[in-house]
Amino acid sequence: MCSIYPFETWSKASGEPAGWLQSGFPFTPQLGFNPSNNGDSRNPTRPSWNPAFSGSVILGRPDQYFNPNAFTVPVSGTYGNVGRDTLTGPDIAELDVSALKALNIVERVNLQFRAEFFNVLNHTNYGMPNTIVYSGATSAPSPTAGVITSTATTSRQIQFGLNVNF
């Protein structure tokens, strides 16, 4: 015997958020070389702010998340004046939905069907941009400065589960 139950008898799985929004992670623009000449190759050197630059530093596009023209190479033997973690990466937004239906088959046998949908809206959440602004002292800004080449979350995923408890 098969019975069809209306959707109103389903319930949201408890303990799981329906959606979330997170601000981007801070990051620091960097140089691909060491103009301070201090011999430290472990800690990346930061550029300087470009005093002639006007406009928005954060453009928000995946092909150029930030404008590399907002920075200049510091004078040889000095450090750049850009602070640590001064820029913020892309925000992350995701909507997850899960529903379950519990059925009593017989007195001591229960059946639970779960449907889980992750990133329901299939929103693209971009990863962090390339932080290297200049790769050499005499070069123009790197063509990959501010370029985003990855995503921070997966695309839409749907999964179903069936539990039999006895």
Side-chain angles (χ1 to χ4, degrees):
M1 183 169 106
C2 180
S3 299
I4 298 176
Y5 291 90
F7 192 72
E8 297 94 41
T9 62
W10 288 64
S11 61
K12 179 188 175 300
S14 62
E16 298 178 20
W20 48 276
L21 176 66
Q22 176 181 332
S23 65
F25 293 107
F27 69 95
T28 306
Q30 301 173 355
L31 300 175
F33 66 102
N34 188 346
S36 65
N37 298 321
N38 66 357
D40 187 0
S41 61
R42 294 176 298 135
N43 298 313
T45 305
R46 298 186 290 259
S48 292
W49 291 107
N50 183 351
F53 178 78
S54 63
S56 179
V57 176
I58 301 291
L59 302 175
R61 300 187 321 255
D63 62 332
Q64 191 173 49
Y65 185 75
F66 65 87
N67 192 337
N69 295 317
F71 308 100
T72 61
V73 175
V75 176
S76 182
T78 65
Y79 296 99
N81 62 6
V82 172
R84 182 175 174 268
D85 292 340
T86 53
L87 301 180
T88 303
D91 294 341
I92 296 176
E94 188 168 305
L95 176 65
D96 300 335
V97 176
S98 63
L100 65 89
K101 175 66 180 174
L103 302 168
N104 290 330
I105 304 299
V106 291
E107 182 179 336
R108 302 187 105 187
V109 178
N110 298 318
L111 182 72
Q112 183 187 69
F113 175 75
R114 293 179 68 100
E116 299 174 330
F117 305 88
F118 303 100
N119 198 4
V120 172
L121 303 177
N122 207 21
H123 181 266
T124 303
N125 291 302
Y126 295 114
M128 295 300 285
N130 179 10
T131 60
I132 303 297
V133 181
Y134 289 93
S135 56
T138 59
S139 66
S142 170
T144 60
V147 174
I148 296 175
T149 58
S150 65
T151 56
T153 59
T154 60
S155 59
R156 180 184 303 127
Q157 294 183 352
I158 301 171
Q159 68 184 24
F160 300 101
L162 188 65
N163 280 341
V164 178
N165 299 318
F166 52 92

